[in-house]
Amino acid sequence: GRHACFAASFASWVKLIGVRKVVMLAGLQAKWRTEERVGLGMQLSYLATTEQPRCAELGWALLSDEEFNQEKIRGARTPPWPVFCALQDQEGVDTVCVIAFCSEGDNISEGGAVAQMTADLLLLGQEGPDSGTPCALQWRMPPSWGNLYGPAPDMALY
């Protein structure tokens, strides 16, 4: 029940210390996709508090108003939505949320894709800040994800 209070406090603190850009990573339930998105493969998108020319340059799809439904997301109590919504109210704080539509189960590939999207947005792993060309970094899965679904089966059984 303290999510709204935490989000408001966090957003105020971000503004107070002078942060000008916040990048958040999120997942949305695949069932919230629009009909246009269904069947397009991996579902990556973004949501922002201001216009994002870099996201447009990268060819990213902006989350539609239909997908960012007040009831589903703005009223959601799970992270990161309360924080994103609180940051929307902070003038001068540019917030971008990199989003993957996910189904229940193994979402390791979506995690890597969101990490790469974030690297492309922030120009990580490039020759210099002015190169502007995204490059694929080698992402390593956290060791804690290794046995997410239990140990691998003994291949001698097959």
Side-chain angles (χ1 to χ4, degrees), residues 8 12 24 26 31 39 46 60 73 75 123-124 127 130 133 145:
S12 295
M24 303 173 74
K31 69 180 183 179
Y46 77 99
W60 296 358
I73 296 175
L123 302 171
L124 300 179
E127 298 284 326
D130 297 325
T133 305
W145 292 8

Side-chain angles (χ1 to χ4, degrees), residues 48-66:
T49 57
T50 60
E51 189 175 329
Q52 296 294 316
R54 178 77 181 139
C55 295
E57 288 171 23
L58 292 167
W60 296 358
L62 180 64
L63 196 69
S64 72
D65 289 339
E66 183 181 345

Side-chain angles (χ1 to χ4, degrees), residues 4 15 28 40 46 51 58 63 76 80 82 85 87 91 93-94 99 110 128-130 136 138 155:
K15 176 82 172 176
L28 276 178
L40 293 178
Y46 77 99
E51 189 175 329
L58 292 167
L63 196 69
C85 293
L87 287 169
E91 193 171 313
V93 179
D94 187 19
I99 303 166
E110 286 88 348
D130 297 325
Q138 295 297 315
M155 296 313 285

Side-chain angles (χ1 to χ4, degrees), residues 27-143:
L28 276 178
Q29 293 181 29
K31 69 180 183 179
W32 290 349
R33 295 176 295 180
T34 59
E35 285 296 319
E36 294 80 36
R37 280 192 199 264
V38 176
L40 293 178
M42 191 171 291
Q43 304 293 315
L44 302 171
S45 193
Y46 77 99
L47 189 61
T49 57
T50 60
E51 189 175 329
Q52 296 294 316
R54 178 77 181 139
C55 295
E57 288 171 23
L58 292 167
W60 296 358
L62 180 64
L63 196 69
S64 72
D65 289 339
E66 183 181 345
E67 292 163 324
F68 186 69
N69 180 300
Q70 295 290 335
E71 236 177 89
K72 292 177 187 169
I73 296 175
R74 190 156 180 87
R77 296 178 184 201
T78 56
W81 306 117
V83 172
F84 181 84
C85 293
L87 287 169
Q88 279 184 311
D89 299 332
Q90 295 296 325
E91 193 171 313
V93 179
D94 187 19
T95 305
V96 177
C97 189
V98 180
I99 303 166
F101 284 97
C102 304
S103 298
E104 289 193 32
D106 184 353
N107 292 307
I108 292 171
S109 61
E110 286 88 348
V114 167
Q116 186 60 51
M117 284 178 73
T118 304
D120 292 346
L121 176 66
L122 300 175
L123 302 171
L124 300 179
Q126 297 180 20
E127 298 284 326
D130 297 325
S131 75
T133 305
C135 65
L137 298 172
Q138 295 297 315
W139 299 106
R140 289 188 299 175
M141 183 174 67

